[in-house]
Amino acid sequence: MLGCVRRALTDREVLLILEPARMGPLRPSPGPGGQRLLLPPLLLALLLLLAPSASHTTQVVYKVPEEQPPNTLIGSLAADYGLPDVGHLYKLEVGAPYLRVDGKTGDIFTTETSIDREGLRECQNQIPGNPCILEFEVSITDLVQNGSPRLLEGQIEVQDINDNTPNFASPVITLAIPENTNIGSLFPIPLATDRDAGPNGVASYELQAGPEAQELFGLQVAEDQEEKQPQLIVMGNLDRERWDSYDLTIKVQDGGNPPRASSALLRVTVLDTNDNAPKFERPTYEAELSENSPIGHSVIQVKANDSDQGANAEIDYTFHQAPEVVRRLLRLDRNTGLITVQGPVDREDLSTLRFSVLAKDRGATPKSARAQVVVTVKDMNDNAPTIEIRGIGLVTHQDGMANISEDVAEETAVALVQVSDRDEGENAAVTCVVAGDVPFQLRQASETGSDSKKKYFLQTTTPLDYEKVKDYTIEIVAVDSGNPPLSSTNSLKVQVVDVNDNAPVFTQSITEVAFPENNKPGEVVAEVTASDADSGSNAELVYSLEPEPAAQGLFTISPENGEIRVKTSLDREQRDSYELKVVAADRGSPSLQGTATVLVNVLDCNDNDPKFMLSGYNFSVMENMPALSPVGMVTVIDGDKGENARVQLSVEQDNGDFVIQNGTGTILSSLSFDREQQSTYTFQLKAVDGGVPPRSAYVGVTINVLDENDNAPFITAPSNTSHRLLTPQTRLGETVSQVTAEDIDSGINAELTYSIAGGNPYGLFQIGSHSGAITLEKEIERRHHGLHRLVVKVSDRGKPPRYGTALVHLYVNETLANRTLLETLLVHSLDTPLDIDIAGDPEYERSKQRGNILFGVVAGVVAVALLIALAVLVRYCRQREAKSGYQAGKKETKDLYAPKPSGKAAKGSKSKGKKSKSPKPVKPVEDEDDTGLQKSLKFNLMSDAPGDSPRIHLPLNYPPGSPDLGRHYRSNSPLPSIQLQPQSPSASKKHQVVQDLPPANTFVGTGDTTSTGSEQYSDYSYRTNPPKYPSKQVGQPFRLSTPQPPPHPYHGAIWTEVWE
């Protein structure tokens, strides 16, 4: 166990070093300082008991692949292990030149020196499978508290990358195989080596053979002592007389990603027979060898036997793929297999020698065997402890001396002491102490060190005082536990540096001064005084100013007496106070300072006029605003203070139109604006402050009245009563009229648009939306003749818009001959509502409508006449074919025009019996004139229901001499009785009576076509469609109303047709 002890000794105490009798007296031994002390074991035990406990440390381990580029971040001590990252200093103590550490963050980076795992000394001779470790140390110093630094030990496991290609020892490998070799025999192939380790090492072998050897040889890879041993398999019979050699290719590949590979030529020579191979007595030989053994010292002897005789049994021993260091340190006797020392063996350089020995017979086809040899180098106590003293944190050493300020805290580390011993075991167990009575001790810096290597902080135990002791020489002794023990010493000189302990102090920390503005340069503002408790140069004071930026260059101070003066005239309006920081510094090293604050308050004078924010004010207001409305606001400032800055506002050239509020600067109007009457108002405002004497200022104000859309467009042309003649020959696109209008508003409120709002049902005219020009767009036809009243709407673009309406009268005709008619039409136009169109000749459409009606009536009469003629022809033919014709006076079963019985009349007829007497035969009168017939007949107009057409019923009893109407209507005519409509032309005044009955018993009228020619007849009164015209008394004048047309420009005029 390695331990270091420091014990503070008083004047009467001594440090005893005891030695047991078996060790003998102390004897000198060379050490680092020229002396080496051998201490007895009893002293070592005492030192172990007095050794202090180690402080807690943090073990830091990182894993980094080898061959990383420079400035690659390995890890951050602050972020990864919760170490502080502010106010601390990180310093790399061990780890150069491979590593560097950021002093502020503790980040560890790679350097320009690449970390090559295969080139690191620590990893070259390590046991396979063990990690490759690169150790580093970092000290952490608290810059805020200036405390003792911490030592952080860490390890970086350098991970192997596949940066080496496996190779055979020679590009050509020769194997000699006897020709009588049995099938299945194995022959070892020399191993390939790869400097990489683990998965990146040798992974596989592959044999490539030509056609002549493909069936004779194969490859088998065996695992032998954690190595892949390639072996050649004989798969066929060899015949040296037929083929004495074969060239094969053996390829080796590692397990990296991507893998690396190489190949060698494997030349197989077919030899004569050698039956038995040598065989070692043991597969593995182990031996121990003390370091520093003399040359020729025997290590171990290997021995192999061969069952053959003669030359085939003679065996030669050689090293097999042994490292260069083995061949340099050891010698192998070729004939006996004895291994001896041929070079200096140092365990500290190489602790284990591992190699193979090959035994080969001397037959024509030699056979061989291989054995593993492991030689462990045994340690001897041949190294004294090594003491290394170096700076730590902010403390640097130069020429074995460290400078320490006297004001450092207790337990402040002044050096890092590393004690190590290259031996091992008890020979490396080192104990160290601080010799002498000095205020320093050793404290273990890390718990992670081994017995052969430990680190300590050399730190103070009491406060240092330069006035008492100016320097110390500290001697450190280290002793190992070997037999005999070895020791060494090292020393460090600590120089105590004096410090300036006391800072200057002012009599007043804050001084406030009132100083008027407009002063004279150089006047004294104030005087400050400070004192220092130190003496000598540390008490000599120098005064200086550190003013705020606004006071820079305005004030000066005397370095000797602290008198403050102003360099220029002060202006309170620019700044009303200044804060000056006065510094008193002593002449110590380092210099200490004391500070005080001087507040300079600048007193005001009335030296500034009131000032309006603008040189002139322009306000815009809308017209029609109510009185006492705010129209604008002005801002006036005064750079002075108090009463000197109290400002009163008033309106100059006051005519009562405007007033101003002093508190807010708001201008109010006493009237309502009308832009059309006055668009601009101009006046002045006056500002007067309250100083003595007062100061004043003026500013001009302009009020611009903005337009509001409060006026509708005014039509200037044409007049509503004017007109213009438009002949049918007018060309399309020709301007036929021009509408002009004005708007007394301004801007967008005065921009006018024209549109035709009515009176253009035919789309004859179009008006320019901006010009107001009316043009003809369609050709004039006959129906367009007459007066056209265009309703033109003129709108502005205000919000909301206003508009005016113009009436444009265009008279379409050849001439203006009938001016009376035109004037009548104009008067009618002015009396007609604007939503009714007046356009063209209304009689044209009505005459066209009457012509259509007349054509329909004529067509209907012609159709009825054709039907009657057809019916007469059919009846005539049937009468000629009938066997019995008409007999006058024959009793009829029913009368054609007998009224249907209803009510009591019907019941009475039933009670009298079924038979009724027939009327007496009437004497026919053939030459009765029309007038008598018309007088004798009476027509009863009846309606079965409201809205039905009236029906005509002929009387049943006829006067003497009347025709036999029963026989007349007893015919087989398909037409039933006549229906007369009172509104038809036949019912007019012009035709008040029924015309003469036509021959063949046929009447012109409306009826159905379902009458039969049987003995039965029907008194059914035929109905037509509901009447088209209202029912009126037959023969009286009436008005024929046409179906209601769409609204006509001549609304109010009643057009009628009267039948005379």
Side-chain angles (χ1 to χ4, degrees):
M1 175 179 179
L2 179 63
C4 287
V5 168
R6 173 261 166 208
R7 183 178 180 187
L9 301 177
T10 64
D11 295 339
R12 301 185 59 86
E13 291 179 331
V14 294
L15 182 62
L16 299 179
I17 302 177
L18 304 179
E19 179 183 15
R22 67 180 181 86
M23 294 299 300
L26 295 175
R27 60 182 182 272
S29 176
Q35 297 290 330
R36 184 173 67 177
L37 300 179
L38 299 178
L39 301 182
L42 183 59
L43 175 60
L44 298 179
L46 178 61
L47 294 177
L48 294 177
L49 293 175
L50 298 177
S53 60
S55 61
H56 174 72
T57 58
T58 302
Q59 181 68 30
V60 178
V61 178
Y62 291 108
K63 293 183 179 181
V64 178
E66 63 174 330
E67 304 289 352
Q68 293 300 308
N71 298 320
T72 299
L73 177 63
I74 297 176
S76 176
L77 298 178
D80 299 340
Y81 292 92
L83 298 175
D85 57 355
V86 177
H88 287 72
L89 174 66
Y90 291 84
K91 180 182 176 184
L92 182 67
E93 305 293 347
V94 175
Y98 301 106
L99 306 174
R100 70 174 180 87
V101 174
D102 188 291
K104 295 181 179 180
T105 63
D107 293 345
I108 302 176
F109 298 91
T110 60
T111 63
E112 297 294 335
T113 303
S114 177
I115 302 176
D116 185 5
R117 180 182 179 278
E118 292 75 28
L120 290 177
R121 179 179 178 182
E122 294 85 350
C123 304
Q124 288 181 348
N125 297 313
Q126 67 179 7
I127 299 176
N130 290 348
C132 177
I133 301 299
L134 176 63
E135 296 183 346
F136 67 92
E137 297 174 8
V138 177
S139 63
I140 307 173
T141 303
D142 190 342
L143 299 178
V144 177
Q145 298 181 359
N146 197 19
S148 178
R150 297 173 54 188
L151 183 66
L152 188 68
E153 292 182 325
Q155 294 180 345
I156 296 178
E157 179 181 338
V158 182
Q159 297 178 332
D160 183 51
I161 64 173
N162 192 22
D163 57 342
N164 291 282
T165 302
N167 291 295
F168 291 96
S170 173
V172 178
I173 302 172
T174 302
L175 287 182
I177 302 177
E179 60 179 339
N180 62 345
T181 300
N182 296 327
I183 296 176
S185 298
L186 300 177
F187 293 88
I189 301 174
L191 297 176
T193 58
D194 194 326
R195 296 187 65 191
D196 294 325
N200 296 325
V202 175
S204 63
Y205 292 88
E206 181 183 354
L207 184 66
Q208 299 174 353
E212 70 282 355
Q214 190 171 6
E215 296 181 356
L216 296 178
F217 303 100
L219 182 67
Q220 174 180 301
V221 180
E223 294 285 343
D224 183 14
Q225 298 180 3
E226 299 181 357
E227 292 181 341
K228 295 183 181 297
Q229 174 62 57
Q231 296 175 335
L232 186 67
I233 307 174
V234 177
M235 302 173 59
N237 295 320
L238 301 179
D239 188 353
R240 183 178 176 277
E241 286 71 23
R242 182 182 177 187
W243 207 294
D244 60 352
S245 66
Y246 299 89
D247 286 341
L248 312 176
T249 301
I250 183 168
K251 180 181 179 182
V252 61
Q253 180 174 298
D254 61 21
N257 185 15
R260 291 174 174 264
S262 66
S263 59
L265 177 64
L266 179 60
R267 178 163 294 167
V268 179
T269 302
V270 181
L271 302 177
D272 286 336
T273 304
N274 182 15
D275 298 329
N276 298 290
K279 184 176 181 182
F280 281 96
E281 295 178 351
R282 287 181 293 174
T284 302
Y285 292 84
E286 295 182 356
E288 286 187 354
L289 175 64
S290 297
E291 64 175 332
N292 302 324
S293 295
I295 295 177
H297 177 74
S298 176
V299 179
I300 194 173
Q301 184 177 11
V302 296
K303 184 173 179 59
N305 299 314
D306 195 319
S307 301
D308 294 328
Q309 293 181 353
N312 293 333
E314 297 177 0
I315 299 176
D316 292 331
Y317 299 94
T318 58
F319 286 119
H320 177 69
Q321 295 183 346
E324 179 63 27
V325 64
V326 173
R327 299 176 184 272
R328 177 170 53 84
L329 297 179
L330 302 180
R331 176 181 178 277
L332 175 62
D333 188 282
R334 182 180 184 86
N335 298 319
T336 63
L338 179 63
I339 300 175
T340 58
V341 177
Q342 70 174 2
V345 178
D346 190 354
R347 188 207 61 83
E348 286 72 33
D349 292 336
L350 191 62
S351 61
T352 303
L353 299 175
R354 189 185 302 270
F355 55 93
S356 297
V357 175
L358 185 68
K360 182 187 295 185
D361 61 24
R362 298 178 181 178
T365 57
K367 293 181 177 292
S368 62
R370 186 167 61 93
Q372 185 78 17
V373 179
V374 178
V375 178
T376 302
V377 181
K378 185 178 179 181
D379 180 58
M380 301 296 291
N381 191 20
D382 57 344
N383 294 281
T386 301
I387 302 175
E388 180 184 357
I389 303 176
R390 61 177 184 265
I392 182 68
L394 298 177
V395 180
T396 59
H397 295 182
Q398 185 175 5
D399 298 331
M401 179 180 294
N403 295 323
I404 306 299
S405 178
E406 64 173 328
D407 60 349
V408 297
E410 294 185 21
E411 298 184 354
T412 298
V414 298
L416 178 67
V417 179
Q418 177 174 307
V419 181
S420 60
D421 196 316
R422 297 186 63 191
D423 295 325
E424 67 176 0
E426 290 296 327
N427 297 330
V430 180
T431 303
C432 62
V433 293
V434 176
D437 184 11
V438 290
F440 296 91
Q441 68 177 2
L442 293 173
R443 177 174 60 86
Q444 190 169 343
S446 173
E447 292 180 347
T448 59
S450 62
D451 290 343
S452 61
K453 182 179 180 181
K454 283 195 174 181
K455 299 178 182 65
Y456 303 89
F457 288 128
L458 178 62
Q459 61 185 24
T460 62
T461 58
T462 59
L464 303 180
D465 191 349
Y466 172 80
E467 287 71 24
K468 294 181 179 180
V469 181
K470 295 180 175 56
D471 56 61
Y472 298 90
T473 300
I474 305 169
E475 186 174 3
I476 301 173
V477 180
V479 182
D480 65 19
S481 301
N483 188 12
L486 301 178
S487 65
S488 61
T489 62
N490 201 350
S491 62
L492 173 68
K493 186 175 183 180
V494 176
Q495 184 73 41
V496 181
V497 181
D498 187 27
V499 296
N500 189 17
D501 301 326
N502 299 285
V505 178
F506 283 89
T507 55
Q508 288 183 332
S509 60
I510 298 178
T511 302
E512 191 168 356
V513 178
F515 192 74
E517 67 174 332
N518 302 326
N519 59 283
K520 295 181 180 180
E523 292 186 7
V524 177
V525 178
E527 184 176 352
V528 293
T529 304
S531 60
D532 195 315
D534 292 329
S535 61
S537 61
N538 293 333
E540 296 177 4
L541 302 182
V542 177
Y543 296 93
S544 61
L545 282 180
E546 292 183 1
E548 58 183 338
Q552 192 74 31
L554 298 180
F555 300 90
T556 60
I557 189 171
S558 174
E560 293 80 15
N561 57 22
E563 188 178 69
I564 301 174
R565 295 178 180 271
V566 64
K567 297 173 61 176
T568 183
S569 180
L570 300 181
D571 188 357
R572 192 207 62 79
E573 286 71 37
Q574 294 183 0
R575 190 173 183 86
D576 60 356
S577 65
Y578 297 91
E579 182 175 330
L580 307 177
K581 182 180 179 182
V582 182
V583 179
D586 59 25
R587 299 182 184 275
S589 179
S591 178
L592 296 181
Q593 297 178 348
T595 60
T597 302
V598 177
L599 299 177
V600 180
N601 297 320
V602 183
L603 300 179
D604 181 56
C605 296
N606 191 21
D607 56 348
N608 290 280
D609 294 333
K611 182 180 179 181
F612 288 92
M613 295 300 294
L614 299 177
S615 59
Y617 289 88
N618 282 277
F619 301 108
S620 298
V621 297
M622 297 298 296
E623 63 176 329
N624 301 323
M625 287 178 57
L628 297 180
S629 297
V631 297
M633 179 180 293
V634 298
T635 303
V636 61
I637 60 175
D638 194 312
D640 294 324
K641 187 177 180 182
E643 289 296 327
N644 297 332
R646 195 180 303 277
V647 179
Q648 295 291 327
L649 296 172
S650 61
V651 178
E652 289 290 299
Q653 303 172 353
D654 187 8
N655 55 3
D657 291 345
F658 299 94
V659 294
I660 188 167
Q661 295 178 347
N662 270 301
T664 62
T666 302
I667 303 173
L668 306 177
S669 66
S670 300
L671 49 82
S672 179
F673 301 107
D674 188 350
R675 190 199 62 83
E676 287 73 28
Q677 294 183 6
Q678 184 174 350
S679 61
T680 304
Y681 297 84
T682 303
F683 55 91
Q684 277 191 334
L685 293 179
K686 180 180 180 181
V688 182
D689 64 18
V692 179
R695 292 176 174 267
S696 61
Y698 294 88
V699 71
V701 179
T702 301
I703 307 297
N704 298 311
V705 182
L706 300 180
D707 181 53
E708 189 177 63
N709 194 21
D710 55 349
N711 294 282
F714 174 74
I715 310 299
T716 60
S719 172
N720 288 344
T721 58
S722 64
H723 68 275
R724 181 175 179 182
L725 176 65
L726 187 64
T727 62
Q729 291 77 25
T730 303
R731 296 186 302 274
L732 295 180
E734 183 178 346
T735 301
V736 299
S737 183
Q738 176 70 45
V739 178
T740 58
E742 297 178 353
D743 195 320
I744 62 176
D745 291 325
S746 63
I748 194 172
N749 296 329
E751 296 181 8
L752 304 181
T753 58
Y754 299 84
S755 62
I756 298 177
N760 192 23
Y762 303 113
L764 284 178
F765 306 100
Q766 184 175 350
I767 189 169
S769 60
H770 300 290
S771 64
I774 301 176
T775 57
L776 182 65
E777 294 297 319
K778 292 184 180 180
E779 294 184 357
I780 299 176
E781 301 177 1
R782 172 61 188 84
R783 58 176 179 168
H784 299 152
H785 286 217
L787 183 65
H788 291 257
R789 181 187 69 181
L790 300 181
V791 181
V792 178
K793 182 178 179 181
V794 183
S795 303
D796 59 25
R797 299 180 64 186
K799 291 184 179 180
R802 293 177 177 270
Y803 61 90
T805 304
L807 299 181
V808 179
H809 293 94
L810 300 175
Y811 184 64
V812 180
N813 203 0
E814 294 290 345
T815 63
L816 287 176
N818 193 350
R819 289 187 174 273
T820 303
L821 174 60
L822 177 59
E823 292 176 356
T824 302
L825 294 176
L826 290 174
V827 172
H828 174 70
S829 170
L830 297 177
D831 294 338
T832 303
L834 298 182
D835 58 346
I836 299 177
D837 292 336
I838 297 179
D841 185 8
E843 289 297 330
Y844 177 81
E845 292 296 333
R846 291 189 177 278
S847 61
K848 184 177 180 180
Q849 185 178 10
R850 288 197 301 270
N852 293 337
I853 295 174
L854 181 60
F855 177 78
V857 171
V858 172
V861 171
V862 172
V864 171
L866 292 177
L867 290 176
I868 293 175
L870 180 61
V872 170
L873 180 60
V874 172
R875 180 165 179 79
Y876 176 76
C877 293
R878 288 183 177 178
Q879 287 181 352
R880 293 187 59 182
E881 294 176 359
K883 294 181 180 182
S884 58
Y886 167 76
Q887 296 180 4
K890 184 178 179 180
K891 184 179 179 179
E892 300 293 339
T893 59
K894 293 184 179 179
D895 292 332
L896 180 61
Y897 287 98
K900 293 182 180 181
S902 61
K904 296 180 181 180
K907 294 181 181 179
S909 61
K910 290 182 181 181
S911 61
K912 293 179 180 181
K914 298 182 178 179
K915 296 182 179 181
S916 60
K917 295 182 180 181
S918 61
K920 294 181 180 182
V922 180
K923 182 179 179 180
V925 179
E926 296 178 358
D927 298 328
E928 188 74 23
D929 57 354
D930 294 341
T931 303
L933 180 60
Q934 293 174 1
K935 291 181 179 180
S936 63
L937 294 178
K938 295 181 180 180
F939 295 88
N940 296 325
L941 298 179
M942 301 180 63
S943 296
D944 291 344
D948 293 341
S949 300
R951 294 177 296 175
I952 302 178
H953 292 276
L954 299 180
L956 298 178
N957 296 324
Y958 305 100
S962 63
D964 189 354
L965 296 178
R967 174 182 174 275
H968 181 79
Y969 290 103
R970 180 69 172 70
S971 67
N972 293 327
S973 173
L975 297 177
S977 59
I978 291 177
Q979 280 190 340
L980 296 180
Q981 299 185 8
Q983 294 174 342
S984 65
S986 61
S988 66
K989 182 178 180 181
K990 187 175 181 179
H991 303 85
Q992 294 182 359
V993 296
V994 179
Q995 298 178 358
D996 294 341
L997 296 176
N1001 299 326
T1002 303
F1003 292 88
V1004 178
T1006 60
D1008 61 9
T1009 57
T1010 59
S1011 301
T1012 61
S1014 62
E1015 294 295 330
Q1016 302 293 330
Y1017 66 89
S1018 171
D1019 64 346
Y1020 169 75
S1021 297
Y1022 193 81
R1023 298 182 182 180
T1024 62
N1025 294 328
K1028 184 176 181 183
Y1029 309 101
S1031 300
K1032 293 184 179 292
Q1033 184 64 32
V1034 178
Q1036 294 182 357
F1038 69 94
R1039 296 175 179 175
L1040 178 62
S1041 299
T1042 60
Q1044 185 65 27
H1048 199 275
Y1050 296 98
H1051 181 70
I1054 301 176
W1055 300 86
T1056 60
E1057 293 184 7
V1058 179
W1059 296 84
E1060 297 297 338

